[in-house]
């Protein structure tokens, strides 16, 4: 199925009293950073119930990135940065997966079957795309269009579970990149400077066109320096811890900001 024959949604997925699919914070922020949070919420549209999962499961890491939104909001304040957050669970539709990906609307996530995602019709798929995926990415595109003449560095903020199908993951934080490592390399250096933290270089996840959507489309597609930040979830469980990581990220960003901005518009590949 291509993106253009995905079907026409017959009804709106979100009721009139439900939260919007996207939240834009500090849209007119004067800083050079634009922050994105693809997996900020584990909310599911009322119309879809709980996707056949326990509420506990939905609130677990398969449903969202715990703590990521909290860190992103605090970082937005530090850097006076606009921030765009997705309002619904990645299990309804994952805003960081290409629509062609089997993980866009995952029938299994980290080994857990998602009953509400099995056997969807093209119209049911289209309803999720129209109600959630498109508004989120349209909001990002509008924001970036509106500041096309201003130097911009793009950061998406995620969190990862400390253990996934294997031994504990050693990284406290990771910085991931696609074709152009230069902006990420600056951040990696700044975050590793204190020697306090294990910093993943393209770990725990690299950015790949078949798996990722946000950075390839909004960053690489526009020639903006862009990187994905992944913070280990046990390091941001409390507000105090989230605030500490936001402050560290802000400090690292400021250290490398001028040099990173000089990368804008120059090809690194
Ligand atoms: Zn994520």
């Amino acid at each position: 199925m291509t993106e253009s024959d995905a079907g026409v949604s017959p009804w709106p997925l979100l009721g009139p009293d439900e939260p919007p699919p996207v939240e834009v914070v500090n849209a007119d922020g004067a800083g050079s950073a634009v922050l994105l949070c693809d997996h900020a919420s584990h909310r599911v549209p009322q119309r879809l119930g709980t996707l056949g999962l326990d509420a506990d499961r939905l609130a677990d890491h398969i449903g969202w990135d715990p703590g990521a939104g909290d860190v992103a909001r605090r970082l937005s304040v530090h850097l006076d940065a606009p921030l765009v957050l997705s309002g619904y669970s990645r299990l309804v539709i994952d805003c960081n997966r290409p629509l062609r990906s089997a993980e866009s609307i995952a029938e299994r996530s980290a080994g857990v079957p998602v009953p509400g995602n099995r056997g969807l019709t093209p119209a049911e798929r289209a309803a999720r795309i129209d109600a959630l995926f498109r508004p989120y990415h349209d909001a990002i595109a509008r924001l970036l269009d509106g500041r096309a003449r201003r130097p911009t560095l793009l950061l998406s903020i995620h969190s990862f579970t400390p253990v996934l199908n294997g031994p504990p993951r050693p990284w406290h934080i990771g910085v991931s990149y696609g074709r152009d490592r230069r902006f990420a390399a600056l951040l990696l250096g700044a975050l590793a400077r204190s020697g306090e933290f294990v910093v993943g270089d393209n770990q725990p996840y690299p950015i790949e066109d078949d798996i990722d959507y946000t950075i390839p489309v909004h960053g690489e597609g526009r020639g903006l320096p862009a990187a994905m930040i992944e913070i280990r979830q046990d390091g941001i469980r409390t507000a105090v811890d989230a605030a500490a990581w936001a402050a560290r990220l802000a400090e690292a960003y400021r250290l490398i900001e001028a040099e990173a901005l000089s990368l804008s518009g120059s090809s690194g590949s």
Side-chain angles (χ1 to χ4, degrees), residues 19 120 165 168 247:
L120 297 191
N165 310 324

Side-chain angles (χ1 to χ4, degrees), residues 39 65 90 158:
H39 301 142
D65 285 359
R90 64 188 304 170
H158 293 259

